[in-house]
Amino acid sequence: MTATPTILVFDSGLGGLTVHREIAKAQPGARLIYAADDAFFPYGRHGETELIARVVAVMSGLIDTYQPDLVVVACNTASTLVLPELRARFTVPFVGTVPAIKPACAESKSRLVSVLGTVATVRREYTHALIRDFAQGCDVTLVGSPRLAELAEAALKAEPVSDADIAHEIAPCFIEKNGARTDTVVLACTHYPLLLDRMNRLAPWPVRFIDPAPAIARRVTDLLGPTVPGRPEPATAHFTSGKPPSAALEAALTGFGIGLPAKV
Ligand code: DGL
């Protein structure tokens, strides 16, 4: 591996920034590229065949352009579907983001765990297999949210998002059964940690929301080894739409340590 590895973090939109942030901390010397397929956002609304073809095509272009040493697919909706195809087509190592069902079920005391993801992610066979293999006797409720990823993007762009809308999307996660209550909610979409403060405030009772980003960053360091602090340049942003970001988005990107989008 090179002394200054190039890591490409990929998502449909801005959710992968929550993963990017942890990777930036864990890999202070790496060159980072943040790529968002915003021209095709949200991934949760696309059919499986269409999404596989899209991600493979976009990834092919990104790998040619940036020659990464490692790619992080910071998107559950893509990872639960496309990873086998990506690994078969490209030689670069891929780290995926899949619902953190195993640690959630290992840690739940009430044994009532909810998985909050896009409608597509909670439908995936991959997610159902994780529950079969790792629920460890927990009662797992799958909650597919049609709107939360878009609400998270809007909030990050400083557009108005009401508490009522967020509360409505997360409400089905909260289950009371035989005197027990859900105590753990897996955030199975990388957009949702962008709303974590508000979800904590709006939850009908306190729960542990599991954000997989720190575990993904550890996995990246397992594969690449530690880097020496001293990033060569700010992270580059690449948006497939080619649209210039609004002032609010630019400010948000700067907050995540990302420079201006590269011309596409
Ligand atoms: N950030 C993506 C995820 O982790 C999904 C949002 C979408 O494009 O639907 O699933």
Side-chain angles (χ1 to χ4, degrees):
M1 204 53 66
T2 59
T4 306
T6 297
I7 304 172
L8 174 75
V9 180
F10 173 80
D11 183 29
S12 56
L14 303 172
L17 291 171
T18 62
V19 178
H20 178 277
R21 171 172 59 195
E22 293 302 316
I23 293 171
K25 276 192 245 160
Q27 292 285 305
R31 172 174 174 248
L32 296 170
I33 315 294
Y34 185 77
D37 188 11
D38 62 329
F40 222 59
F41 177 82
Y43 275 4
R45 298 244 179 94
H46 294 283
E48 297 198 346
T49 314
E50 186 191 17
L51 191 55
I52 292 172
R54 172 72 185 183
V55 175
V56 167
V58 171
M59 193 59 74
S60 175
L62 291 169
I63 289 173
D64 281 351
T65 305
Y66 297 107
Q67 302 285 314
D69 294 292
L70 183 139
V71 176
V72 178
V73 181
C75 175
N76 293 257
T77 310
S79 297
T80 52
L81 181 69
V82 193
L83 278 177
E85 190 70 26
L86 293 175
R87 288 183 173 133
R89 296 237 184 178
F90 305 105
T91 51
V92 62
F94 287 90
V95 172
T97 307
V98 300
I101 289 165
K102 189 177 179 181
C105 291
E107 286 159 32
S108 167
K109 301 273 180 293
S110 71
R111 319 303 290 151
L112 290 178
V113 171
S114 292
V115 177
L116 179 63
T118 62
V119 173
T121 293
V122 305
R123 273 203 203 122
R124 300 260 193 264
E125 170 49 28
Y126 191 103
T127 304
H128 292 253
L130 286 176
I131 295 172
R132 281 197 300 277
D133 294 343
F134 299 117
Q136 301 155 76
C138 285
D139 189 335
V140 178
T141 301
L142 283 170
V143 178
S145 164
R147 291 188 60 214
L148 205 50
E150 284 158 278
L151 295 176
E153 293 238 333
L156 191 72
K157 292 174 185 162
E159 293 163 16
V161 173
S162 75
D163 280 355
D165 281 348
I166 296 172
H168 180 263
E169 296 300 299
I170 68 172
C173 294
F174 293 84
I175 307 286
E176 298 193 84
K177 213 185 241 181
N178 305 324
R181 283 173 157 184
T182 303
D183 67 355
T184 309
V185 176
V186 175
L187 297 179
C189 170
T190 53
H191 280 72
Y192 303 167
L194 294 170
L195 296 172
L196 190 58
D197 290 347
R198 294 180 75 182
M199 290 197 289
N200 273 317
R201 178 165 57 75
L202 295 167
W205 58 81
V207 292
R208 180 160 181 244
F209 287 104
I210 301 210
D211 172 3
I216 294 163
R218 284 195 296 276
R219 176 76 188 133
V220 168
T221 298
D222 285 348
L223 292 173
L224 292 180
T227 55
V228 183
R231 200 176 311 293
E233 60 208 57
T236 301
H238 179 120
F239 290 95
T240 57
S241 69
K243 280 191 212 141
S246 63
L249 178 54
E250 237 182 77
L253 292 173
T254 305
F256 280 93
I258 294 178
L260 286 183
K263 293 217 164 34
V264 287

